[in-house]
Amino acid sequence: MKKKELVEKIAKESKAAKSVAESVLNAFLKTVSQTLKKGDKVQLIGFGTFEVKQRAARNGRNPKTGKVIKIAAAKVPSFKAGQGLKDTVNGHKKK
C-alpha cells in the first residue's frame, strides 16, 4: 500500500476529508521522526514500538572486488510489532 492509498483508507475509515487524513498522517510521521531523532521511542500499546538502535562499526566486503571495507557505526530506526498487531496479522481473535 502506498501513501496515497493509506490516506484514502484513513479518510474512509474516519469519515474525514482526504485532505484532513493526509494532514493527520503527515503530522504523525513528522512527530515519530522527530521523536526518534531526539533518541526517544514511540510506543503504541497493541500496535508496536518505534525506536532507534545503535549499529556497531564493522568490517564488510565489497562484493564486486572482494576488498574488505570499514562500515561506520550508525543509528538505525527500528519497529517492533506489539502483540495486538501480531495477532491481527496471524488471524487470531482478541481474547
Side-chain angles (χ1 to χ4, degrees):
M1 176 180 291
K2 295 187 174 161
K3 185 177 180 182
K4 181 179 178 183
E5 297 165 324
L6 181 58
V7 167
E8 290 172 1
K9 290 275 191 182
I10 291 170
K12 184 177 178 183
E13 189 72 27
S14 65
K15 297 178 178 74
K18 286 182 188 177
S19 61
V20 172
E22 184 173 17
S23 179
V24 170
L25 178 59
N26 287 337
F28 172 76
L29 296 174
K30 183 178 180 180
T31 302
V32 170
S33 297
Q34 289 174 341
T35 302
L36 294 177
K37 186 177 179 179
K38 288 192 305 185
D40 296 333
K41 67 181 178 178
V42 177
Q43 186 174 17
L44 304 170
I45 303 297
F47 184 75
T49 302
F50 297 90
E51 62 185 326
V52 176
K53 294 187 177 183
Q54 186 68 34
R55 183 178 291 161
R58 63 196 191 282
N59 289 329
R61 191 170 298 277
N62 181 330
K64 201 171 196 178
T65 64
K67 182 180 175 185
V68 175
I69 58 172
K70 285 230 179 244
I71 301 172
K75 294 179 184 176
V76 292
S78 170
F79 176 77
K80 181 177 179 186
Q83 193 60 50
L85 180 57
K86 290 177 186 177
D87 289 345
T88 299
V89 169
N90 287 307
H92 300 142
K93 293 182 180 182
K94 287 187 175 182
K95 294 179 182 179

